[in-house]
Amino acid sequence: MSELSSYKIQLNQHIHTQDIVKINHYAVKNDVKMYLYRDHLIADAKKLPKILSFFLLCRKDQSLVLIIDGEDAKEVYQTITQLLDKTINTEIRKENIMETDKSILI
């Protein structure tokens, strides 16, 4: 079942380029829909140049939102927090499970 979850992430230190590349590789390898959002900017984790510039412009004390869309969003979240173990603090913001037989009108 498809899930849509968002997590507030607080950076404890500047994120290293090798960690950014790990996130990108994970997203591409596992076909994960993962987005990063802050200050009206959004970056797709599958696009390395986008997330590189997104993180390189982040301040150490800045918070951002990680949005995970797809199957096993909690597992993806667990993996990302393990990859960035000492770099971030996270807290859940919202989890939604999408049911295939229902539609949403906006």
Side-chain angles (χ1 to χ4, degrees):
M1 194 171 298
S2 186
E3 299 175 11
L4 181 64
S5 298
S6 65
Y7 302 89
K8 181 179 178 185
I9 296 177
Q10 181 71 38
L11 298 175
N12 294 330
Q13 60 190 20
H14 291 289
I15 190 165
H16 298 286
T17 305
Q18 62 205 26
D19 292 331
I20 298 169
V21 171
K22 285 180 192 177
I23 294 170
N24 172 258
H25 281 251
Y26 179 79
V28 170
K29 185 177 116 181
N30 295 299
D31 197 30
V32 172
K33 294 177 188 169
M34 191 167 36
Y35 307 94
L36 298 154
Y37 172 80
R38 75 168 161 74
D39 297 333
H40 307 293
L41 299 173
I42 193 160
D44 184 345
K46 288 185 182 180
K47 299 184 179 178
L48 185 59
K50 299 272 185 184
I51 63 168
L52 276 171
S53 60
F54 180 89
F55 277 116
L56 292 175
L57 296 173
C58 278
R59 295 182 317 271
K60 182 177 96 170
D61 59 345
Q62 192 166 23
S63 65
L64 53 109
V65 176
L66 171 65
I67 302 164
I68 303 169
D69 179 15
E71 302 295 321
D72 300 321
K74 287 181 186 177
E75 184 180 315
V76 172
Y77 167 71
Q78 297 282 338
T79 303
I80 296 302
T81 56
Q82 289 171 357
L83 288 173
L84 303 175
D85 184 33
K86 295 185 178 18
T87 308
I88 63 171
N89 284 333
T90 63
E91 67 181 56
I92 190 160
R93 286 181 41 156
K94 191 73 175 162
E95 284 183 324
N96 295 302
I97 296 176
M98 303 302 291
E99 298 180 25
T100 56
D101 61 338
K102 295 186 180 178
S103 61
I104 299 173
L105 296 175
I106 298 176

